[in-house]
Every structure is written in C-alpha cells, then in structure tokens.
Amino acid sequence: MTQPDATERDFPIHTAASAPEGSQEPLAWYLDTFGMVPNLAAVLAESPALLTSYWQTQNNLLADAALTRQEINIVQTSVAHANACQYCVAGHTALRKMEIFDNTDEQLVAVRQDKPFDDPKLDALRDFALLVLRNQGRMASSQLQAFLEAGYSRRAALDVVACIAAKVMTNYANQIALTPVDDAFAPFASDLPYREDRTVRTGTIAAE
C-alpha cells in the first residue's frame, strides 16, 4: 500500500526529509528501533514539542519507572482502549508482538475485551489507572490504599500518571489528526469497535 503524505485532515505524515529539525532525533530513533517510522510519530513530528515530549516520556518510563514494561503497556493500552483510540490500541498490541513490552497474548486480550487478568495484581493496576484517568486523579484515600495493598508503591502510582500523560498526548493527537493505522499494525485494529473519526460521545460538543 502506498504511504499517504497527509492524514484525512491534512496533517502532514512526515518523513525524515520533511520533518522540522526538532523532530529529527526522535524520528531517527523510531527508525533505528523499529525499522520504520510509525504514522503516529510521523504525524506528531509536525510539532517537535509534542513528539519530543511523548518520546522522552516513553523512554523515561522504560528506563526509570517502578512499573515493569508489561505493566506500563497494560496501563497505556487500557487508557487507549478507554479513550477509544484505535491507533494506539493496535500499536501497543503490535509492540507486544515485537517484544518491546513482553506482554502475553492473554493480557492484551483482557485489556481489549475488558476481561479480568489471570493475575489480580494487574486488575488492581488497571482499575487504578482508569480511576485516575476518569476522575482526573481524584480518589478516596481507601482507593489509593487498595492500590498499595495490591503490591504497588506510591512511586508506581505516580508512574501511572506519566503513563496516562503519554497516552493523552497520542490519543488526543490521533483523534484531531485522524492518524491512519500503519500496515504493520492493521491486523490488530480490524476487530476493534472504534476508530479515529468524527464521532463524538454523548455530552460532548457536537462535531461539525
């Protein structure tokens, strides 16, 4: 399939040659790491501030988080699923297949189908992440305590915030730009009941 040079809403899908200078380093990293520049990074490249913020946040999490790589991906895929971001759910599923995050197939199925995990600790992690997402961080002390009693630390609670922040950057950008799903990720998007489009949820401002 021919790679488009812009999204449906005319956001550029950059190459290394067309991207602003501030986006060059992250794009080179994606190419070196994955052998491709995902459309997400290519679209974010229009804003070096956004692309570098996302890229650095992800690398900081992988290097320094109290959460494992599996746990980071469970939080981020759960957030993307809750935000109905087809691109990110498909992408994070594919990255598990590329062994970036080391998740099992069963874990990603549980996220994508809203099913319990085999490990109740992961249920507690997902529940906490979605609580933070939906309530903008507001919670009862008993809810934080349940997260801690599941085996997580206060440091991990703050790492969850970083995971959510990264997915807010990409989920929202994908909805604004209508980022097309890469061919490499497409097999993991076909069964999702949502996509990046003009549909707006009840109670939000109507699309034009």
Side-chain angles (χ1 to χ4, degrees), residues 9 40-41 43-44 50 54 58 73-92 111 129-130 133 162-180 192 194-197 199 201:
R9 287 183 173 160
L40 168 66
V43 169
L44 296 187
L50 181 56
Y54 174 66
Q58 290 294 76
N73 201 37
I74 285 170
V75 171
Q76 294 194 332
T77 310
S78 297
V79 169
H81 180 57
N83 285 335
C85 182
Q86 180 197 49
Y87 186 99
C88 284
V89 173
H92 277 263
V111 171
L130 295 180
L133 174 69
C163 288
I164 293 171
K167 287 300 95 185
V168 166
M169 290 186 225
T170 58
N171 295 171
Y172 290 12
N174 288 332
Q175 299 297 343
I176 292 170
L178 300 183
T179 306
L192 294 173
Y194 44 76
R195 64 179 293 273
E196 280 63 70
D197 59 21
T199 302
R201 298 185 186 188

